[in-house]
Amino acid sequence: MLAPNEKLGQYRLVEEIGRGGMGVVWKALDTRLGRHVALKLLSEENTSDPERLKRLEHEARTVASLNHPNIVTLFSVEEVDGQHFITMELVDGKSLAELIPESGLTLERFFELAVPLADALGAAH
């Protein structure tokens, strides 16, 4: 299991920022370029699954083909010491779940969030 301050190639892990079905997303410092990036790492069980590796590479190719201000920029697909990952633009901010108050959104706030999301989704499809 990886931990903050560990290095993975040229990347020094800073903090875990997300977790999902395929693995973990870390905020990391690219020590070569001196910038923070997001690393999406496959979990150990998924690294040994050829289908999951194909899925990660397909996701990377798909994201790399997009150019939109509301879609992250993909930097690379890498493998270090058997650990497969993609590096992406790090976008600071809150998740959509954090932006929606328990009382719900005003109509104005709904459109402030929904229009850019729909625009990005349209560009992706």
Side-chain angles (χ1 to χ4, degrees), residues 24-77:
V24 180
V25 179
W26 283 85
K27 177 179 180 178
L29 177 66
D30 180 335
T31 59
R32 190 172 294 153
L33 297 176
R35 67 177 175 185
H36 284 101
V37 297
L39 297 185
K40 182 176 184 178
L41 294 94
L42 281 181
S43 63
E44 283 185 40
E45 59 271 10
N46 286 329
T47 295
S48 60
D49 182 347
E51 286 302 313
R52 293 293 183 160
L53 288 173
K54 283 183 190 175
R55 189 169 156 190
L56 181 74
E57 290 174 5
H58 180 264
E59 177 182 334
R61 278 192 301 280
T62 301
V63 174
S65 71
L66 302 172
N67 183 13
H68 189 277
N70 295 329
I71 298 175
V72 297
T73 300
L74 184 113
F75 298 138
S76 65
V77 179

Side-chain angles (χ1 to χ4, degrees), residues 98-118:
E98 293 171 314
L99 291 173
I100 301 174
E102 283 188 37
S103 60
L105 297 169
T106 64
L107 190 57
E108 181 181 355
R109 183 67 176 140
F110 170 80
F111 282 113
E112 285 175 1
L113 296 173
V115 170
L117 284 171

